[in-house]
Amino acid sequence: MSFHADRHVHILIIGGGAIGTSVAYHLARDGAKDVLLVEKSLLTHGCTWHAAGLVGQLRGKRNLTRLMQNSVAVFDRLEAETGQAISWKKVGSLRLAGSSARWSEIRRSMTQAKSFGVECHSLSAEEAAQHFPYIVKEGIEGAAYIPGDGYIDPYSLTMAYAKGARQNGARIEEGVTVEEIVIEGRRAVGVVTNGGSISCDILVNCAGLWAKRVGKMAGVPLAAGVVEHQYFLTEKTLTLDPNLTTLRDPDHNFYLKPDTGSFAIGGWEDGSKGCWRGMPPLDFGRELFPPNMERLELFALPAAERLPVLNQIGIQTVINGPIPVSFDGEPIMGLAPELDNFFVACGFTAGIAASGGAGLALSNMILHGDAGMDLWPFDVRRFGAVQAQGCYLEARAIEAYGAYYKIHWPAEESHAARGLRLSPLHDTLRGNGAVFGSKFGWERPNWFSVDDGKSVELASFEGQPGWFNAVGDEVRAIRERAALIDQTSFSKFEITGNGAQAALQRIAANDLSGAPGRAVYTQLCNEKGGIEADVTIVHTGEDRFLLVTGSGFGVHDRHWISRHLPAGVSLRDVTNQYATINLCGPRARHILQSVSDDDVSNDALPFLAARTIEVGNATALAVRVGYVGELGYELYVPQDYAVHVYDTLREAGEPHGIADAGYRAIDACRMEKGYLYWSGDITPDYNPYEAGLGFAVALDKGEFLGREALSRIKAEGVTRRLCSFTVDGFAPFHGGEAILFGGMVVGSTSSTGYGYTLGKTIAFGYLPVELAGEAAFEIEAFGKAYRATRGPRTLYDPKMERLRA
């Protein structure tokens, strides 16, 4: 049945907080016509009105730093452009380190920020006290000063966005509550409100606290939680320098904003209270919760240790209100995979500081199909319905909130709500010493503790992690003997139907023609030639294919593929149907042949071949492919046979020194082999020719998505290239380090890792093409420049002799 609305708009935005008004402002400023924003109450009446308003650009993740950097650029121009005062106090910020580990974390963030132009300075305790005289200097290892930071009035900022939106033709209506979203096929065609119905071409969910509820109206599960957050205002008895900087002391778990004669101080304590399982009632308004003094003490008392003046003045007001926190603590943005015209910008814990950059990015995405920066760490498709489940979401949101000011160690794992999705091999591997991590709800073995407790799950910024030697042993097993790796969590999709092969030929950049029985490594590119996905496609039967991608990329890749499949071709998620066991290493064939009556010789099952074989008393789809760069077989086994297949291979492999290996060993091996990781080394911002993946582009196969752009890129040549760098021995690289040539920043690292076979630290990073032939570079980490040699992209087995053996 068609939806008959009272009126129609082109773009309808739900939510009148800082994010929603910023999106409206940026859309209208960029020329969008017929933009309407509806707010169920008054502008700012969700959580914007009680936000503290601090603006800080230096973040632990480089993409978030970039988003905040873009916000500051918006704040710098907004008042002059709109004529609306925003009380933007660009007084700078000071971030203190009260431990050596924290100082390492801050210096790492400063190096990342340096790679894209955020001004920041390293200070001593004495220098920090000159910027903020109220602090106790004892115990300060160092400090970061960012002169471009400051604080802003959230209400005034939102009103400026709204005024700018109106000046450019957008409309804003308050007191309009969306009660229903009307869906037809894969489109949100309009909304029913308390004041009538509105149809639209594009619907944007910026509903803040209510984003999950609005998503549910559209059939879109969102991993956007809500928790309580407190801060307090001191009595107004202080005489403050009007240019006094803001202050953050994460080791004492507090932030501070100067106010009129007082301080506003908040923190991120453990054990915050989750609210409504992320689903506040629509009639919740401009309300606060009663103060929780026990939780307040968790940051107020440490703040008084750093700021003795707090012992002399009282607390005037405690603000305890709801704020959004997503499943992983990062914003949620982009086009929802369930619908073709439903965009999302929610889950912003630091929504005021991020609003300018977020509004710009989402506007770019809506109008131009390109956010203007890599948004994958915030992409709505990094989550699935499982992360939106109320109890699971709330547990993780509370943990993410409490971890906001904790040290974020490299490769750290979440601890809340673990054990949700288990491979059939989980108990067996746990008994073998597996130390598990979590990915998309799956428990996956990161590494194995088999050395009587000498190796431990202890991360490090500047030294070798506690599992360094254990992972080295696993790599040696892969390279010298044989290993078993449980890859069950990999996302797997079956694509079938009349015309499936032709459809995939039009989506994939590589050539998928030919008879069944072959695996193809390929990128899926967009019309600009950017890499939307990096997958393996196995041709298993006539118009039947198995597509395999990363555990966390399943929602993203399924969305991309589904959008381009014709009618009659279906895509089915079979991740939970098959376990995946990777048998790899130079002894792998001997082991597999000993337990199979099928011929698995190189002639019968060569590299990239795929066929069904017997393994013990079971059958498996055996695919001669792997991510570690050795002879290997990925075995796709029905889950009920997985334990039998594993036990059979493990027993047969004992005479050959077989071992278990985890995902950290996979990562070390793929770095040596020059294999890339989507979302780090390759994204929609990069094309295959820049990334050295031109071998996987079949321009002569006929039309496919991105072919025209890729043909032009190949003919004209690229302006940058992905290069491999090595540093002798161990270097503390974690990704995002600045790459220097002649003392100048010329790029930043993407993936980094230690190559155990080579005895070198390896880094990937893009260079301007005019520098890609140079050899001598430096990579800066923690204030030290390491001599790095640019070498061949494939550092290990460049002729593929071991892989094809």
Side-chain angles (χ1 to χ4, degrees):
M1 185 178 74
S2 297
F3 173 59
H4 299 288
D6 300 324
R7 51 185 171 139
H8 178 82
V9 298
H10 177 45
I11 302 175
L12 178 61
I13 301 167
I14 302 173
I19 300 296
T21 53
S22 177
V23 172
Y25 160 73
H26 281 94
L27 283 169
R29 187 175 186 268
D30 198 16
K33 304 301 181 185
D34 200 14
V35 176
L36 172 65
L37 182 150
V38 295
E39 160 57 43
K40 72 180 183 64
S41 183
L42 299 176
L43 297 184
T44 77
H45 275 207
C47 55
T48 297
W49 72 274
H50 62 75
L54 268 77
V55 177
Q57 299 170 83
L58 192 64
R59 304 286 167 152
K61 296 182 179 179
R62 55 197 308 269
N63 305 71
L64 195 56
T65 298
R66 179 77 181 278
L67 199 72
M68 300 300 183
Q69 181 186 25
N70 291 345
S71 282
V72 167
V74 174
F75 301 158
D76 286 345
R77 70 163 193 260
L78 188 62
E79 185 168 319
E81 186 177 309
T82 64
Q84 171 75 42
I86 62 174
S87 298
W88 170 219
K89 307 296 184 183
K90 201 172 184 177
V91 295
S93 73
L94 196 64
R95 184 177 292 261
L96 306 179
S99 65
S100 58
R102 178 72 68 182
W103 187 222
S104 292
E105 181 187 43
I106 290 176
R107 286 185 293 132
R108 179 194 177 194
S109 297
M110 292 173 69
T111 299
Q112 292 178 331
K114 179 179 179 180
S115 69
F116 43 83
V118 175
E119 182 184 358
C120 48
H121 304 277
S122 176
L123 306 182
S124 66
E126 185 66 37
E127 291 168 327
Q130 293 173 12
H131 283 277
F132 202 95
Y134 297 92
I135 62 174
V136 171
K137 292 178 287 186
E138 283 72 25
I140 296 177
E141 293 277 336
Y145 175 63
I146 302 91
D149 288 352
Y151 57 96
I152 199 165
D153 177 54
Y155 177 85
S156 299
L157 173 66
T158 304
M159 293 306 166
Y161 286 141
K163 184 176 181 181
R166 292 186 178 107
Q167 287 173 338
N168 287 283
R171 289 171 291 145
I172 297 175
E173 298 179 5
E174 298 172 304
V176 179
T177 301
V178 173
E179 299 172 339
E180 180 185 350
I181 296 175
V182 182
I183 305 298
E184 292 183 3
R186 286 187 51 84
R187 298 186 65 82
V189 296
V191 301
V192 177
T193 78
N194 58 338
S197 57
I198 309 168
S199 62
C200 61
D201 301 311
I202 295 170
L203 187 59
V204 187
N205 179 2
C206 298
L209 298 175
W210 296 270
K212 182 171 164 45
R213 182 175 289 279
V214 170
K216 185 177 181 180
M217 292 181 191
V220 174
L222 292 175
V226 181
V227 306
E228 291 186 10
H229 174 61
Q230 296 188 115
Y231 67 93
F232 64 88
L233 293 169
T234 68
E235 294 173 337
K236 296 181 180 294
T237 59
L238 299 170
T239 302
L240 302 178
D241 184 330
N243 294 314
L244 183 66
T245 183
T246 62
L247 178 69
R248 293 170 179 82
D249 187 344
D251 287 305
H252 285 78
N253 197 26
F254 76 92
Y255 61 78
L256 179 151
K257 179 187 78 171
D259 203 11
T260 305
S262 66
F263 293 141
I265 297 175
W268 307 93
E269 73 281 4
D270 282 326
S272 179
K273 183 180 178 182
C275 305
W276 308 289
R277 294 284 200 252
M279 298 277 282
L282 288 175
D283 61 359
F284 182 83
R286 196 172 184 268
E287 304 171 46
L288 294 173
F289 304 124
N292 185 309
M293 302 311 291
E294 289 185 3
R295 291 208 320 267
L296 193 77
E297 288 182 350
L298 296 178
F299 61 86
L301 295 181
E305 293 176 2
R306 180 63 71 197
L307 302 166
V309 69
L310 295 181
N311 296 309
Q312 303 167 23
I313 55 178
I315 293 177
Q316 175 178 285
T317 306
V318 176
I319 306 293
N320 184 18
I323 64 167
V325 182
S326 76
F327 184 86
D328 62 4
E330 302 293 351
I332 303 173
M333 299 179 66
L335 178 65
E338 293 82 4
L339 299 171
D340 294 334
N341 67 332
F342 186 79
F343 289 85
V344 175
C346 64
F348 287 85
T349 303
I352 305 303
S355 61
L360 175 63
L362 196 67
S363 173
N364 284 337
M365 188 180 297
I366 293 170
L367 297 181
H368 310 297
D370 183 354
M373 62 174 288
D374 177 19
L375 281 184
W376 171 249
F378 318 133
D379 197 306
V380 62
R381 294 168 296 179
R382 76 188 189 275
F383 298 130
V386 63
Q387 284 96 353
Q389 295 177 35
C391 186
Y392 190 30
L393 169 61
E394 187 168 284
R396 282 293 178 93
I398 290 172
E399 181 185 51
Y401 172 89
Y404 202 81
Y405 270 178
K406 289 181 180 177
I407 294 174
H408 295 287
W409 297 98
E412 68 179 352
E413 294 284 350
S414 296
H415 299 287
R418 291 288 295 271
L420 180 63
R421 304 177 78 183
L422 304 179
S423 158
L425 304 179
H426 181 267
D427 289 344
T428 299
L429 298 179
R430 182 175 58 185
N432 290 356
V435 180
F436 292 96
S438 178
K439 193 76 166 183
F440 210 76
W442 286 98
E443 293 294 312
R444 315 192 313 173
N446 278 340
W447 62 283
F448 287 80
S449 177
V450 294
D451 56 4
D452 297 325
K454 295 177 183 177
S455 298
V456 293
E457 179 68 9
L458 180 65
S460 174
F461 284 107
E462 300 188 56
Q464 295 177 354
W467 39 260
F468 183 84
N469 291 329
V471 172
D473 290 340
E474 294 171 27
V475 171
R476 278 184 284 276
I478 292 170
R479 294 283 187 242
E480 299 170 6
R481 306 186 310 277
L484 288 169
I485 308 173
D486 181 13
Q487 296 174 181
T488 299
S489 67
F490 276 19
S491 296
K492 301 174 280 288
F493 300 96
E494 192 174 69
I495 301 169
T496 59
N498 186 31
Q501 186 168 23
L504 287 174
Q505 276 284 63
R506 290 189 295 270
I507 298 173
N510 211 339
D511 188 3
L512 301 177
S513 63
R518 186 168 74 103
V520 177
Y521 169 64
T522 185
Q523 287 73 53
L524 313 183
C525 296
N526 58 38
E527 292 179 352
K528 297 179 181 179
I531 301 171
E532 292 286 348
D534 185 66
V535 302
T536 298
I537 299 177
V538 185
H539 194 176
T540 57
E542 190 67 30
D543 272 333
R544 180 178 295 274
F545 294 83
L546 179 70
L547 184 144
V548 184
T549 187
S551 307
F553 305 145
V555 174
H556 175 278
D557 292 1
R558 178 177 187 166
H559 177 227
W560 180 259
I561 296 162
S562 297
R563 289 170 61 190
H564 297 96
L565 286 180
V569 177
S570 64
L571 181 149
R572 184 168 65 98
D573 190 337
V574 294
T575 301
N576 298 334
Q577 184 174 336
Y578 297 102
T580 305
I581 301 172
N582 184 355
L583 170 65
C584 55
R587 305 299 298 171
R589 180 179 291 117
H590 297 277
I591 295 168
L592 184 60
Q593 190 65 82
S594 71
V595 295
S596 177
D597 291 339
D598 293 291
D599 185 358
V600 297
S601 67
N602 203 36
D603 290 337
L605 194 60
F607 180 59
L608 295 179
R611 64 188 179 89
T612 300
I613 65 170
E614 293 183 358
V615 183
N617 298 325
T619 58
L621 173 65
V623 184
R624 268 287 304 276
V625 70
Y627 200 40
V628 296
E630 294 289 342
L631 166 67
Y633 307 84
E634 287 186 357
L635 303 173
Y636 295 86
V637 186
Q639 289 218 13
D640 44 345
Y641 300 137
V643 173
H644 168 75
V645 170
Y646 172 88
D647 288 345
T648 299
L649 293 170
R650 184 66 194 245
E651 182 180 353
E654 289 298 337
H656 301 276
I658 199 169
D660 291 301
Y663 278 82
R664 287 180 177 150
I666 292 177
D667 197 57
C669 289
R670 70 98 181 172
M671 291 295 298
E672 293 183 325
K673 190 62 179 169
Y675 288 161
L676 306 183
Y677 184 68
W678 191 88
S679 79
D681 308 308
I682 47 178
T683 72
D685 294 333
Y686 301 105
N687 64 68
Y689 293 110
E690 294 172 324
L693 298 173
F695 67 88
V697 178
L699 292 176
D700 57 353
K701 71 170 183 174
E703 288 303 316
F704 63 90
L705 193 58
R707 182 181 182 275
E708 182 178 345
L710 291 170
S711 296
R712 183 179 65 254
I713 292 167
K714 183 179 182 181
E716 296 175 355
V718 297
T719 60
R720 59 188 175 184
R721 291 190 187 279
L722 184 66
C723 298
S724 293
F725 303 86
T726 58
V727 174
D728 289 340
F730 176 83
F733 297 166
H734 305 290
E737 291 82 12
I739 302 171
L740 310 177
F741 182 78
M744 302 294 291
V745 177
V746 294
S748 62
T749 63
S750 51
S751 290
T752 62
Y754 186 73
Y756 291 89
T757 313
L758 305 176
K760 299 175 185 289
T761 300
I762 305 169
F764 299 157
Y766 286 87
L767 291 177
V769 69
E770 60 269 20
L771 295 178
E774 300 290 340
F777 291 83
E778 291 180 319
I779 297 177
E780 184 177 315
F782 303 103
K784 177 181 177 180
Y786 292 81
R787 292 184 178 180
T789 301
R790 185 204 56 79
R793 268 291 310 283
T794 302
L795 300 165
Y796 176 81
D797 188 28
K799 296 182 179 180
M800 307 275 281
E801 293 170 340
R802 297 175 68 88
L803 196 63
R804 297 176 182 273

